[in-house]
Amino acid sequence: MKRLAIVSSLLSTLVLAVPASAHQIWLQQDAKGAQLYFGEFGENLREASPGLLDKFVSPSAVLIGSNGDRTLELSKKSNAFDLSARAGSGESIVAEEAHYPVFENKHGGGTPTRTAWTPAARLVTSNAAQEPRLTLDLLPTGKPGEFKVTYKNAPLPKAKVGLVVQSGWMKEAYSDEQGLVHFDMPWQGAYVAEVHHTDKVSGERDGKAFDTASFVTTLSLVQPKGIKALPAGPAAKPNK
């Protein structure tokens, strides 16, 4: 009865979907290998090819282990990129797409804002503290439920971080002055945390000028203990 009461309380905070603008890339792996997905983890949405997955020009991935870094090969499949290796115990993977095409955002009929969007992802196999590797990074600190947000290797305060599981249950919190954010993590299984940051700095990407640099980074991890995870919802239809 106590377990049922806990589950009932947690379900009262169930979030069925993340915002439509919150497309992300994230890493998952199983015994067969590792994959990089594009879509929304909490909505069970995986963009496909042909479709939005084809917007990715040249995603990259690096396996970080005790023997140093190893650049991985990525092979595009129907709804993911397969990586040439998976992370073993104590290892992690970082991935990003630094060549996503510059696009325009129109706000209220005003002058369009040209945006360079950089999606990135990190997968960890433990809570061990790690050093920043991505421009916008989200890292475990060594303490269960605690993560650190960094931007250009410095702590990023007041960043909103969302934490979601496959059923769509979601929590949000803001990083403190040290870039730290804390969550209760009641479920077993896979979690994906996500953070966004916009830097109003102009520049050029692949020959195209931009007015704003936008970043979204995820952190994927699996928690072995807790309440049995609820199943994912029905797979969402990919966009064209």
Side-chain angles (χ1 to χ4, degrees):
M1 293 299 293
K2 183 178 180 181
R3 174 186 167 87
L4 290 175
I6 294 173
V7 171
S8 177
S9 175
L10 290 167
L11 285 174
S12 69
T13 61
L14 184 67
V15 176
L16 297 178
V18 294
S21 62
H23 261 46
Q24 59 194 203
I25 62 173
W26 74 93
L27 291 158
Q28 283 185 244
Q29 66 178 25
D30 53 27
K32 296 180 180 179
Q35 301 82 34
L36 178 68
Y37 292 100
F38 175 50
E40 299 182 25
F41 177 71
E43 285 191 359
N44 198 12
L45 169 62
R46 290 165 172 79
E47 300 294 4
S49 174
L52 293 189
L53 193 63
D54 297 323
K55 287 282 189 180
F56 284 75
V57 179
S58 55
S60 61
V62 175
L63 176 67
I64 304 168
S66 58
N67 294 323
D69 294 355
R70 175 184 169 190
T71 300
L72 302 180
E73 296 180 2
L74 290 88
S75 176
K76 185 165 65 175
K77 304 300 183 183
S78 62
N79 72 342
F81 288 89
D82 283 350
L83 277 59
S84 58
R86 65 189 301 278
S89 178
E91 296 181 328
S92 61
I93 299 173
V94 293
E96 70 173 357
E97 170 56 280
H99 299 278
Y100 195 90
V102 172
F103 60 89
E104 292 187 350
N105 284 325
K106 296 182 179 180
H107 303 284
T111 302
T113 300
R114 297 166 298 181
T115 301
W117 183 59
T118 304
R122 177 184 286 270
L123 178 145
V124 297
T125 55
S126 73
N127 288 324
Q130 298 195 18
E131 295 298 319
R133 297 292 295 267
L134 301 164
T135 304
L136 175 66
D137 217 337
L138 187 55
L139 308 150
T141 66
K143 299 179 181 179
E146 182 180 83
F147 307 100
K148 186 173 185 178
V149 183
T150 63
Y151 180 62
K152 295 183 176 179
N153 298 326
L156 183 65
K158 300 179 181 178
K160 183 167 72 172
V161 180
L163 183 70
V164 66
V165 299
Q166 63 177 357
S167 66
W169 175 93
M170 183 180 183
K171 289 285 189 178
E172 292 182 341
Y174 286 86
S175 59
D176 63 17
E177 291 302 313
Q178 288 75 47
L180 299 175
V181 62
H182 303 83
F183 289 100
D184 292 326
M185 299 174 62
W187 306 101
Q188 291 179 12
Y191 286 80
V192 173
E194 177 187 80
V195 62
H196 294 250
H197 182 63
T198 298
D199 194 344
K200 296 181 179 179
V201 58
S202 60
E204 186 175 289
R205 170 180 286 182
D206 299 331
K208 294 187 177 181
F210 62 84
D211 309 301
T212 298
S214 177
F215 302 86
V216 56
T217 297
T218 63
L219 171 64
S220 301
L221 67 155
V222 174
Q223 180 168 264
K225 298 180 180 181
I227 301 170
K228 185 177 180 180
L230 298 174
K237 185 177 180 180
N239 295 287
K240 298 296 184 182

